[in-house]
Amino acid sequence: MFSSDNAPSVSPRSATSKSKVLLAHVGALFATLVWGLSFVSTKVLTDYELHPIEIYLYRFALAYLILLMICNKKIFSYSLRDELLFVVLGLTGGSLYFIAENIAVTRTLVANVSLLTSLTPIITVFLVGCIYKSERPSKWIVVGSMIAIVGVAFVVLGGSSGSIEVHPLGDMLALAAAFSFSIYSLVLKKINANYSTLFITRKTFFYGILTALPFLALEPSHAPLGVLCNAKVLVNILFLGLFCSLMGFALMAQAVKVIGPVKANSYLYGQPIVTLLAGLFILHQSVGWTGWTGCALIIGGLWLGEELTRRFSKK
């Protein structure tokens, strides 16, 4: 009755596609938020003498058991090749990444580790460009990423002594962790088409736990199980397991499926900002001008890359 032939029409498929893309961006942002807060929870747990590998196993085991309860109709993948790819996901996104990062913290400055692991998005950009010729990122995305990396450096140095010292072993482990997660994102992109997000996340956690057990066996001592009865310990493990592992990995996997590894991983530049703000409001740490400048550079670099790409792609 009130319709007009001149009114623009929006196809249901187009609207659904846009909503999926929006939700993917929100999911990647949520994952970045909780992963940035995870450093605070991990710090609390290490104060109770829990080893980083123990923390990793507790959080992944909790997430895996929950996923197994809600996603158990299919146990194995379609082929041995796919099963091996899931092993790679468990290694690169789980055990190797977390263990390399945690050991790096003991071998070099925390500032070095934070800065080097923040290189994951730009490493992903170059790997995608090398492997997928049709998905090479624009030069503006690269420029924006470089500006964001400078911002990360400002944030990291703003919370440290203001200088970076070279510690070869620890620095190489931190860089290896960044490469590891980039490879995880690329393998995730490859396997996403054939399996659901929950199935992929469950398999990743399973092999992440399995491949971490040998590292735990090498540790000379372990925290007593009784420490889990402590309310603060339990709350932080629940946060790491439910939000950082279960929801964080599932949402990031969905984001990689919908918007691709480059755009999804670009949100990881925001992790230092979240950690900085968590230190300010939760740990009551001061934030200087370098920290706020870094936040502006990260946000500005990411916006600039996307905006210039959008503008010049229309010409």
Side-chain angles (χ1 to χ4, degrees), residues 275-289:
T275 306
L276 185 81
L277 295 176
L280 174 65
F281 293 109
I282 299 175
L283 301 179
H284 306 294
Q285 298 172 343
S286 61
V287 178
W289 68 269

Side-chain angles (χ1 to χ4, degrees), residues 48-309:
Y48 283 88
E49 299 183 354
L50 276 164
H51 191 275
I53 299 178
E54 291 177 305
I55 297 170
Y56 163 77
L57 285 172
Y58 282 135
R59 60 181 280 189
F60 264 48
L62 174 62
Y64 175 74
L65 290 174
I66 294 173
L67 276 175
L68 191 61
M69 287 189 289
I70 61 178
C71 177
N72 53 24
K73 292 183 178 180
K74 184 175 180 59
I75 301 300
F76 297 104
S77 54
Y78 296 126
S79 66
L80 177 60
R81 172 183 168 276
D82 285 356
E83 200 69 26
L84 291 175
L85 286 176
F86 281 119
V87 175
V88 174
L89 287 177
L91 281 166
T92 55
S95 57
L96 288 185
Y97 173 78
F98 283 97
I99 291 169
E101 182 183 63
N102 290 335
I103 295 177
V105 170
T106 67
R107 301 288 182 174
T108 186
L109 301 179
V110 173
N112 293 36
V113 177
S114 182
L115 180 57
L116 290 169
T117 54
S118 294
L119 295 177
T120 294
I122 194 65
I123 293 172
T124 305
V125 165
F126 288 115
L127 287 179
V128 167
C130 291
I131 296 172
Y132 300 99
K133 305 298 183 182
S134 61
E135 297 186 26
R136 284 180 174 171
S138 71
K139 63 181 179 180
W140 302 115
I141 292 293
V142 176
V143 170
S145 296
M146 293 298 185
I147 295 172
I149 288 174
V150 174
V152 169
F154 268 82
V155 172
V156 170
L157 294 178
S160 68
S161 60
S163 63
I164 291 288
E165 300 174 11
V166 177
H167 298 270
L169 178 58
D171 294 342
M172 288 300 295
L173 284 170
L175 191 58
F179 267 102
S180 180
F181 202 82
S182 296
I183 294 170
Y184 163 80
S185 300
L186 294 182
V187 177
L188 190 61
K189 171 183 170 60
K190 186 177 185 65
I191 210 165
N192 253 331
N194 300 321
Y195 301 94
S196 71
T197 298
L198 290 182
F199 181 82
I200 292 171
T201 307
R202 196 198 78 207
K203 296 290 283 186
T204 299
F205 288 168
F206 174 76
Y207 285 115
I209 294 167
L210 199 64
T211 53
L213 291 176
F215 293 97
L216 183 66
L218 294 174
E219 290 300 318
S221 61
H222 306 100
L225 290 175
V227 74
L228 298 178
C229 296
N230 183 287
K232 187 175 287 189
V233 170
L234 190 58
V235 166
N236 280 281
I237 287 178
L238 287 173
F239 171 73
L240 290 172
L242 297 178
F243 291 91
C244 301
S245 295
L246 178 58
M247 296 180 65
F249 272 80
L251 289 171
M252 185 57 80
Q254 182 65 18
V256 170
K257 177 181 287 189
V258 176
I259 61 177
V262 172
K263 287 186 177 180
N265 274 4
S266 67
Y267 280 93
L268 298 180
Y269 286 125
Q271 270 189 227
I273 297 178
V274 176
T275 306
L276 185 81
L277 295 176
L280 174 65
F281 293 109
I282 299 175
L283 301 179
H284 306 294
Q285 298 172 343
S286 61
V287 178
W289 68 269
T290 51
W292 297 120
T293 301
C295 291
L297 285 171
I298 292 171
I299 296 171
L302 295 178
W303 175 85
L304 185 67
E306 290 290 339
E307 180 65 16
L308 291 179
T309 298

